[in-house]
């Protein structure tokens, strides 16, 4: 049986070369944004997922 704490994941913004990535805490990457405004686009992506 898997405990709730072992299966819980969070979504984080992680800086990458020339941009930002939206990742799960287990290391899987959901989306990658590069170039000017990358951090803003990554935050907009997160907002769209949770609306």
């Amino acid at each position: 049986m898997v405990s709730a704490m072992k299966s819980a994941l969070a979504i984080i913004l992680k800086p990458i070369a020339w941009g930002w990535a939206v990742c799960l805490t287990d290391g899987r990457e959901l989306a990658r944004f590069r170039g000017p405004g990358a951090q803003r686009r990554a935050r907009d992506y997160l907002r769209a997922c949770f609306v």
Side-chain angles (χ1 to χ4, degrees):
M1 181 175 194
V2 177
S3 72
M5 290 305 291
K6 288 185 180 180
S7 64
L9 295 174
I11 298 175
I12 58 172
L13 289 178
K14 182 170 109 175
I16 58 171
W18 304 105
W20 288 85
V22 179
C23 300
L24 297 175
T25 52
D26 68 355
R28 290 182 285 173
E29 192 172 293
L30 301 177
R32 183 178 284 211
F33 300 92
R34 292 187 174 184
Q39 187 176 21
R40 179 183 48 80
R41 291 193 314 271
R43 285 192 316 251
D44 291 344
Y45 175 86
L46 285 176
R47 282 191 200 108
C49 287
F50 294 104
V51 171

